[in-house]
Amino acid sequence: MTPERLWPVVLVALFIMPIQSLNCVLLDNATLESVRLLRSIIRSPLKCLKEIKNFEFPKEILPYIQHVERDMKEAFYIVSIQALSIFFSQNSHVSPVIAERLQHIRMGLYEQMHQAQDCFMDEEEENKEGDHKPKHPRPKFLQKVYLELSKYFIRINKFLGDKKYSVCAWKIVAAEIRRCFIIFYNFKKLLKIQSGMFSELRFLPSFLLHLKYACAVHDVAVSSARLVLHVMFVVSEACLTLAH
Amino acid sequence: MRCESRERTYRLTRMLPSHAFSIVRLLSLCLVVCVSLQFTSSSVFEDYPKESCDVNLTLRNFRLILSWELKNKSIPLTHYTFWFTIMSKPEDPKALENCTNITEPSCDVTEEWTGPSEIYVPLIVIYRGNSTVSLCEGSVVATDTRVEPPEFEVVGFTDHINVTMKFPPVTPKIFGESIWEMLGYKSLVIREQAGQSIKLHKPTMKSITGNFTYVLRDLLPKTNYCVSVYFEAETLETSIKSPFKCTALQPDQESGSSEYDKVGIVTGCVIAVLFFSIVVMLKRIGYICLKHNFPNALNFHNFLSWIFPEVPPSEGVDKLEIIPSSKKKKVWNYDYGDGSDSDEDVPKASATGYTTHGLMGRLLSQASDPANHPLESQLEEDSAAEESDATEPGTEPELPTEAVVGLGLRPSEDPSGPYERRESVLQDSFPGDDSSSVNGTGDKVIFNVNLNSVFLRVLHDDSEGGSEVSSLAEDPVHLDEAPHRTESGLPMAGEDRTQSPHPSVSSQGLWTEDGSSEKTDTSDSDADTGDGYIMR
């Protein structure tokens, strides 16, 4: 293989890991954006104080998912999907102002869901490449984790329906989902601090951050870039095979 | 019996519920009253008129401070009461003891607000002077916190600035987390600005306690630098930047000149001390600032006298008759009063016994008939004899002359005659001699007399005319040791025995020869003359 054709391979090999880590960095940014959007709908909750309900967030599942990074990413991916599904409920009983803010929240949650998926899928691919062991059945504690999370969001959905999707109900639900995101974000940050990963992500090259903003405009563009990289990797392997 | 017991039981059972109900009612009433003292239903606050306000959560000096600002400030305020609740679970609003009936629009909630994911609902009851009550409400989350910069001091030097920031001794917990965790481990930013030039410094800080000093280096002297400090946090709102603190760096010259000034002052003081110490030392050793008690030899004031030395005081001088001696040695005779003459002992005067080396000329103290003061001396030194032998061995002296002691002699036209005495300026040291003033002749002749070759005879005024002829026989050693006199009047060692045609005689050491004799017998004498210069 000539040195000229080796150049793309070098680029792919050099940046493939940062690109994979970039998805999780983008997930953090998307999460913070969702938190900000949910905060915007909660301005004057005085009249809604008497309708506040304790949705009993399952904090007991956190110790189960802190040891394996994959489990953490998967759990947050599930949370993002559930939250998005809640805000895609009907909202005809709200004012246009509230409706517009709910629309912004949906967009933010949609972005967050995609980033969580990418971050989780990258983790899955790493596990597939590095570990050729046969798949084992998922541990029971993980099933319990996912079950508790599902119950949690069902309670939220039920509350919203019982309150007939009122403004106060939306405010209370928005406050609760925001709290859920903050808990996961702080918990993941704490794990990164403990594992030293947080410091690595802090020093991400600036041009990769620019790449983040360029690719985040369109989901298709991001997927296409990843597809191109995969193609280049395959081509380089083919060239090496032909050369030998 | 059974009926009665049943009726009693029935009556009792009916009485118990009524009492219980009353008790329960009483207890519930008390409970409500007690709880109402601590908590208030949120519905109560719904009855208050709402007032628009801005609620801010600030981290000030590492304390969570909730502050509010009313938009309607027309009506004067009396006090506030701060309540709050949360949205994660249904709780009645709670009032803080430190923030009840307060006048300041702020409240420290560091100890109460500890949930980082919680949404807090502050309820501020506003009491105005006209007994109106209004309500200011809002919602606050941890990410709404605006971190104020720490207090700092700026000290400028020549080329660097020390920025000292004050942190608490113990890292506080904010929303249950350390300040650094809450800030996302973002660093403190120090903004350095000089004109249009801006530079940001981000010192790494993870857990700083106490004062922290950061040095801004590589700065330009004589330049005004302004420094601002703020926290840069990722999850928080826009950071609050501190007001600029400016300092002008000192220039190198000024700092150097101040140092040079100090060095110069110290050097000047040292030099002055050394100078004065040297002056004092020189004064003490007498090198400078001498007193006016110079010895005469160092007295330069009378410069004329230095150039023209004064005539020594007159001394007692006598006219002497110098008689060149013969080979015959004479015995020194100190008997001046004896007027007997001994012709035999009278040596012949020899002109060869005179030399110009000698005494300073002095004037006679007494002007007297030289004929009356003859003095014959006889020298017994061998050198005189040698000189006489060298000049004219065996010849008779041709010029019996008289010499005046201590005076500049002027040889008379008649060499055979005695020299005239002249007045001496100096005081006469001999007893009986008179001192006189300077005659002022001006003519002085200085000559030495080789007493070895001459005899001297003092010419006195006495009728006896006795002359004393002294010789050096009795004290030849003295003559030998006698220093020769030079023209300056100082005696010389007996080295110069050269003879000159002008003999010089001192007043001392006049020798007589076996008593005095008026005769100026120039016959040769066999007396020893010795070396023969008359010694003063």
Side-chain angles (χ1 to χ4, degrees):
Chain A
M1 188 176 182
T2 61
E4 295 177 355
R5 295 184 177 180
L6 196 61
W7 174 244
V9 177
V10 173
L11 286 176
V12 170
L14 191 63
F15 295 116
I16 192 166
M17 286 302 296
I19 291 174
Q20 290 179 352
S21 301
L22 182 62
N23 290 328
C24 296
V25 175
L26 296 175
L27 173 60
D28 293 338
N29 297 335
T31 304
L32 294 175
E33 181 64 18
S34 300
V35 167
R36 189 186 68 80
L37 292 171
L38 291 168
R39 172 73 173 81
S40 64
I41 203 173
I42 308 166
R43 290 299 180 183
S44 298
L46 177 62
K47 295 181 179 181
C48 306
L49 294 179
K50 56 186 176 181
E51 297 181 16
I52 290 175
K53 181 182 178 179
N54 189 0
F55 298 101
E56 298 177 359
F57 176 80
K59 290 185 178 181
E60 63 274 7
I61 64 171
L62 296 177
Y64 292 101
I65 59 177
Q66 65 178 351
H67 299 290
V68 182
E69 188 177 356
R70 177 190 174 279
D71 295 338
M72 172 64 73
K73 293 179 178 179
E74 185 178 6
F76 193 71
Y77 174 53
I78 293 172
V79 168
S80 300
I81 292 174
Q82 295 286 348
L84 183 61
S85 64
I86 288 174
F87 279 89
F88 267 104
S89 303
Q90 58 179 351
N91 54 356
S92 59
H93 299 90
V94 297
S95 62
V97 175
I98 300 298
E100 183 179 0
R101 291 179 181 175
L102 290 175
Q103 181 63 25
H104 291 306
I105 290 172
R106 292 191 193 99
M107 293 176 63
L109 290 176
Y110 183 79
E111 177 65 24
Q112 176 183 332
M113 184 270 295
H114 273 276
Q115 297 298 335
Q117 181 184 10
D118 295 338
C119 181
F120 173 67
M121 293 304 293
D122 295 338
E123 188 72 22
E124 285 286 303
E125 290 176 0
E126 288 181 6
N127 294 334
K128 287 180 181 179
E129 293 173 0
D131 187 9
H132 297 284
K133 294 179 181 179
K135 290 185 178 180
H136 293 282
R138 189 166 290 179
K140 289 184 178 180
F141 66 89
L142 285 177
Q143 295 177 359
K144 183 178 180 181
V145 167
Y146 302 144
L147 181 61
E148 294 295 328
L149 286 174
S150 299
K151 288 180 180 181
Y152 171 69
F153 283 98
I154 290 172
R155 287 193 290 270
I156 293 174
N157 238 335
K158 184 176 182 304
F159 171 79
L160 195 59
D162 294 340
K163 297 294 179 181
K164 298 180 181 180
Y165 304 96
S166 62
V167 176
C168 287
W170 282 115
K171 289 182 178 182
I172 293 170
V173 169
E176 185 62 30
I177 291 176
R178 177 186 177 278
R179 178 168 166 261
C180 175
F181 289 165
I182 292 293
I183 291 172
F184 269 93
Y185 178 83
N186 291 339
F187 189 70
K188 189 167 59 175
K189 185 174 67 176
L190 181 63
L191 292 179
K192 288 178 181 178
I193 293 169
Q194 292 176 353
S195 62
M197 292 177 61
F198 183 76
S199 57
E200 294 176 0
L201 294 175
R202 289 179 60 197
F203 298 105
L204 197 65
S206 59
F207 69 88
L208 290 177
L209 292 176
H210 290 301
L211 179 62
K212 155 212 162 181
Y213 292 113
C215 294
V217 176
H218 300 284
D219 299 338
V220 177
V222 172
S223 303
S224 302
R226 297 185 67 223
L227 181 64
V228 168
L229 289 173
H230 280 290
V231 170
M232 290 172 65
F233 184 75
V234 171
V235 169
S236 63
E237 283 187 349
C239 292
L240 281 172
T241 305
L242 291 174
H244 289 293
Chain B
M1 293 295 290
R2 288 182 180 178
C3 295
E4 291 179 354
S5 62
R6 287 179 181 177
E7 288 180 359
R8 290 177 184 175
T9 307
Y10 180 73
R11 287 175 184 177
L12 289 171
T13 52
R14 288 195 63 173
M15 286 174 64
L16 286 173
S18 61
H19 289 289
F21 288 145
S22 61
I23 293 170
V24 168
R25 286 179 183 176
L26 183 63
L27 289 173
S28 61
L29 182 62
C30 293
L31 184 63
V32 168
V33 170
C34 294
V35 170
S36 64
L37 294 175
Q38 294 292 330
F39 297 93
T40 301
S41 174
S42 59
S43 60
V44 175
F45 295 95
E46 294 179 7
D47 299 333
Y48 294 146
K50 291 185 181 179
E51 188 167 340
S52 61
C53 59
D54 295 327
V55 179
N56 299 316
L57 184 63
T58 308
L59 188 67
R60 183 180 304 160
N61 295 327
F62 301 95
R63 300 288 297 179
L64 274 177
I65 304 298
L66 182 75
S67 60
W68 52 90
E69 184 180 358
L70 301 178
K71 294 183 179 179
N72 183 15
K73 299 179 182 178
S74 59
I75 303 174
L77 303 168
T78 57
H79 60 277
Y80 307 95
T81 298
F82 178 79
W83 301 76
F84 77 95
T85 184
I86 56 177
M87 292 190 69
S88 60
K89 49 188 174 180
E91 284 187 0
D92 290 330
K94 178 184 178 181
L96 291 181
E97 295 180 359
N98 296 331
C99 300
T100 303
N101 297 328
I102 58 175
T103 56
E104 293 294 327
S106 62
C107 181
D108 189 343
V109 295
T110 307
E111 306 298 332
E112 296 292 334
W113 293 10
T114 58
S117 60
E118 196 64 68
I119 296 177
Y120 295 91
V121 182
L123 302 170
I124 299 119
V125 180
I126 305 166
Y127 298 92
R128 297 185 184 275
N130 55 359
S131 70
T132 56
V133 180
S134 58
L135 181 68
C136 169
E137 61 146 345
S139 62
V140 180
V141 294
T143 54
D144 295 338
T145 306
R146 299 187 69 188
V147 182
E148 288 187 354
E151 296 180 358
F152 69 100
E153 295 295 333
V154 174
V155 179
F157 297 90
T158 56
D159 60 348
H160 65 280
I161 293 175
N162 284 356
V163 182
T164 303
M165 288 158 284
K166 301 177 183 179
F167 291 98
V170 179
T171 303
K173 288 285 186 179
I174 305 298
F175 287 117
E177 298 175 341
S178 67
I179 183 66
W180 312 112
E181 292 176 355
M182 195 193 78
L183 294 174
Y185 292 93
K186 288 294 183 181
S187 61
L188 185 73
V189 178
I190 301 173
R191 179 189 175 101
E192 164 199 327
Q193 184 171 352
Q196 300 296 328
S197 172
I198 298 174
K199 190 175 181 182
L200 300 180
H201 302 266
K202 295 184 179 181
T204 55
M205 292 165 29
K206 289 188 176 181
S207 59
I208 299 297
T209 57
N211 293 344
F212 174 74
T213 300
Y214 187 80
V215 181
L216 306 177
R217 301 183 184 277
D218 300 331
L219 304 180
L220 299 176
K222 293 195 299 183
T223 306
N224 187 33
Y225 281 89
C226 296
V227 179
S228 176
V229 174
Y230 60 92
F231 280 105
E232 185 185 39
E234 185 181 66
T235 60
L236 300 180
E237 295 292 330
T238 305
S239 302
I240 301 174
K241 297 180 181 179
S242 68
F244 279 102
K245 288 190 177 182
C246 300
T247 178
L249 298 184
Q250 299 175 2
D252 290 337
Q253 292 180 359
E254 290 180 359
S255 63
S257 65
S258 64
E259 295 177 355
Y260 288 143
D261 289 341
K262 294 179 182 177
V263 172
I265 291 171
V266 172
T267 305
C269 293
V270 170
I271 292 173
V273 168
L274 287 175
F275 177 76
F276 284 117
S277 63
I278 290 171
V279 169
V280 170
M281 185 173 63
L282 291 177
K283 186 177 180 181
R284 287 202 170 189
I285 63 177
Y287 191 77
I288 59 173
C289 298
L290 296 175
K291 295 182 181 180
H292 298 289
N293 53 355
F294 291 130
N296 293 332
L298 298 179
N299 189 2
F300 295 101
H301 292 289
N302 195 357
F303 189 68
L304 293 176
S305 64
W306 181 59
I307 296 176
F308 304 100
E310 296 176 353
V311 178
S314 63
E315 299 175 353
V317 295
D318 294 318
K319 291 179 70 174
L320 295 175
E321 182 180 358
I322 299 174
I323 304 170
S325 64
S326 62
K327 297 181 180 179
K328 182 181 181 180
K329 294 184 180 179
K330 294 286 182 180
V331 179
W332 179 261
N333 185 8
Y334 288 95
D335 187 4
Y336 293 94
D338 188 4
S340 61
D341 295 331
S342 174
D343 295 337
E344 295 179 353
D345 294 332
V346 175
K348 293 181 180 178
S350 173
T352 60
Y354 306 119
T355 172
T356 57
H357 294 283
L359 305 173
M360 186 72 75
R362 294 179 181 178
L363 299 176
L364 287 172
S365 61
Q366 293 179 358
S368 60
D369 188 2
N372 295 325
H373 302 295
L375 176 65
E376 290 183 355
S377 63
Q378 181 180 359
L379 302 176
E380 296 180 354
E381 295 179 359
D382 296 337
S383 61
E386 292 177 355
E387 292 174 354
S388 62
D389 293 338
T391 52
E392 290 181 346
T395 59
E396 295 181 356
E398 296 177 356
L399 299 174
T401 60
E402 291 182 354
V404 178
V405 174
L407 299 178
L409 300 175
R410 179 181 64 185
S412 60
E413 294 177 356
D414 186 3
S416 62
Y419 285 89
E420 294 181 356
R421 296 182 65 183
R422 295 183 183 171
E423 187 177 6
S424 171
V425 177
L426 300 177
Q427 291 292 331
D428 192 1
S429 61
F430 290 94
D433 293 336
D434 296 332
S435 61
S436 61
S437 61
V438 179
N439 196 13
T441 56
D443 296 331
K444 296 181 182 178
V445 177
I446 301 173
F447 61 92
N448 294 330
V449 176
N450 188 0
L451 298 179
N452 293 328
S453 60
V454 300
F455 289 94
L456 300 176
R457 182 175 66 187
V458 176
L459 301 177
H460 294 287
D461 293 333
D462 294 339
S463 60
E464 294 178 356
S467 63
E468 297 176 354
V469 178
S470 63
S471 66
L472 299 175
E474 293 183 358
D475 193 8
V477 177
H478 186 64
L479 285 175
D480 291 335
E481 297 175 351
H484 291 247
R485 295 189 70 87
T486 59
E487 291 182 355
S488 62
L490 297 178
M492 284 176 56
E495 297 175 354
D496 188 4
R497 298 176 181 175
T498 56
Q499 296 179 1
S500 66
H502 301 284
S504 63
V505 185
S506 74
S507 61
Q508 294 180 359
L510 297 175
W511 296 272
T512 56
E513 179 184 359
D514 295 336
S516 60
S517 174
E518 293 180 356
K519 289 183 179 179
T520 57
D521 188 2
T522 60
S523 62
D524 297 336
S525 65
D526 295 333
D528 294 330
T529 60
D531 285 336
Y533 286 103
I534 296 177
M535 181 184 67
R536 291 183 63 97

